Amino acid sequence: VGIRLSSLLNEVLVGLGIVVQSIILILSLTLNFNWGFFVQQVLNVGVDVPQAGIEYFLPNVHFSLQNFIYAMTIAMSSFIGIESIAQAAEETRKPHRWIPRANKLSIVFVLIFAMGLSIAGTGGVGAATLSSPANLNNPVTAMARAIPNVGSFLALIVAFTGFSLCYVSTNTGVIGVSRVVFSMGRFRLLPRWFYKVHKTFRTPVRAILIFGIIGAILAIPGDLPLVANLYNFGALLSYIMVNLSLIVLRNTDRDTYRAWKVPGEVSPVIRGKKFYLPPISILGMLSCLSIWLLIVVYHPAGRLLGASWLLV
């Protein structure tokens, strides 16, 4: 019951977000996009101004390139919640059918809107405007406001849409972490106390309460970059381990039935033994490791708090 209600709420709010973002994306590309300006912006990689909160690690590398590298680490936040799809598999009917489809659709939509809005914003209002102190925390609003005739109206809708999508991300995150903690409690990797299901909603109530409170405490200061740093540090570590685990399981647990497999697997023979190596998992592990190392370098808060979290 609980997961059904949460999923229904997510579907409604995400549907609203898709509609609003699609409108902004289409209008920005058709009414406020300049190809010449876009090419000029792309050739000038990164904003040519030092930004607060960035630790410029490479003294001989220009600010613009390091700002671009820093932006790559922040862009990781676009994938918040995708992993929660798999974590809800035990409460999904026909998970072998719907979980892969949901993952694929999520990846497609993330790519469309993350890339599309970035392109539209770069070719419409420019990177300098989007990264200015006035627009740094609400770049989509700046994009919407720049659309002729309807910009002021769309800017108002963006605020509510942003709130609704943040709520969806929060809800999805709590769904995911509560199921993981519940499962860890079942196998005694965490205290058995977490292995408790609500009588009515059939959800891991204790894990939801604990991590809901933790999330609320982190949100009180309103420091979005700090939360993003913490998320990126921990999420990338988990993504690295997931990709590595997939490679290991392909070779140590070959007989398990898999309804869906990562495509493009290669099978080299080394010293007479056949190994199964999914290139997508190898690429995912290496790319996540690269971005995680960049987070350690460029994010002092993420580096210190993330290291403290690992030690604890």
Side-chain angles (χ1 to χ4, degrees):
V1 177
I3 190 66
R4 190 184 304 120
L5 294 175
S6 294
S7 299
L8 178 60
L9 177 62
N10 282 356
E11 290 171 9
V12 173
L13 295 180
V14 168
L16 171 65
I18 290 175
V19 171
V20 173
Q21 290 182 88
S22 298
I23 293 173
I24 293 174
L25 180 58
I26 293 171
L27 292 180
S28 295
L29 291 175
T30 55
L31 301 178
N32 195 44
F33 188 81
N34 185 301
W35 276 107
F37 183 59
F38 172 74
V39 173
Q40 179 185 358
Q41 293 284 297
V42 171
L43 293 178
N44 296 327
V45 177
V47 178
D48 192 16
V49 178
Q51 301 292 314
I54 302 178
E55 187 170 301
Y56 292 97
F57 180 73
L58 304 173
N60 297 323
V61 178
H62 200 270
F63 290 125
S64 59
L65 180 57
Q66 296 197 67
N67 286 336
F68 178 76
I69 295 173
Y70 179 85
M72 290 173 57
T73 65
I74 293 295
M76 179 61 208
S77 301
S78 300
F79 296 94
I80 289 176
I82 287 182
E83 70 278 2
S84 298
I85 296 173
Q87 293 161 358
E90 290 186 343
E91 299 167 89
T92 303
R93 294 179 180 177
K94 299 181 180 179
H96 63 281
R97 178 181 180 183
W98 295 113
I99 296 299
R101 291 186 181 182
N103 272 311
K104 294 174 185 177
L105 284 174
S106 298
I107 293 171
V108 169
F109 277 106
V110 167
L111 288 176
I112 289 175
F113 288 114
M115 295 296 295
L117 291 173
S118 298
I119 292 172
T122 303
V125 296
T129 301
L130 294 176
S131 62
S132 65
N135 299 319
L136 188 60
N137 292 325
N138 53 353
V140 180
T141 302
M143 289 176 55
R145 194 180 295 115
I147 298 174
N149 301 322
V150 295
S152 57
F153 172 72
L154 287 176
L156 296 176
I157 299 178
V158 167
F160 175 76
T161 305
F163 166 78
S164 64
L165 292 179
C166 286
Y167 184 86
V168 169
S169 295
T170 303
N171 189 32
T172 304
V174 171
I175 290 174
V177 71
S178 61
R179 271 61 181 179
V180 171
V181 171
F182 175 81
S183 180
M184 294 176 73
R186 178 170 60 183
F187 293 104
R188 300 186 184 279
L189 297 173
L190 284 176
R192 188 77 173 178
W193 182 82
F194 286 106
Y195 186 55
K196 175 68 176 179
V197 174
H198 193 278
K199 294 181 180 179
T200 303
F201 296 104
R202 310 305 299 168
T203 52
V205 56
R206 291 175 177 173
I208 290 175
L209 287 175
I210 293 297
F211 286 93
I213 292 172
I214 293 175
I217 293 173
L218 288 174
I220 289 174
D223 192 346
L224 184 59
L226 175 62
V227 176
N229 287 340
L230 292 175
Y231 170 80
N232 289 345
F233 186 96
L236 281 166
L237 274 181
S238 67
Y239 293 164
I240 292 168
M241 290 186 285
V242 165
N243 281 290
L244 180 60
S245 299
L246 178 60
I247 298 170
V248 172
L249 288 173
R250 279 286 190 273
N251 293 277
T252 59
D253 191 18
R254 301 177 182 178
D255 297 329
T256 298
Y257 169 73
R258 295 175 172 89
W260 185 82
K261 295 176 66 175
V262 176
E265 187 175 78
V266 296
S267 305
V269 178
I270 303 176
R271 295 183 179 181
K273 186 176 181 180
K274 191 174 184 179
F275 291 89
Y276 298 89
L277 302 175
I280 294 179
S281 298
I282 297 174
L283 179 61
M285 181 182 66
L286 294 177
S287 60
C288 288
L289 177 61
S290 300
I291 298 176
W292 182 80
L293 291 174
L294 290 175
I295 288 176
V296 172
V297 171
Y298 283 99
H299 296 258
R303 178 171 64 244
L304 295 175
L305 295 176
S308 302
W309 168 66
L310 287 177
L311 291 174
V312 172

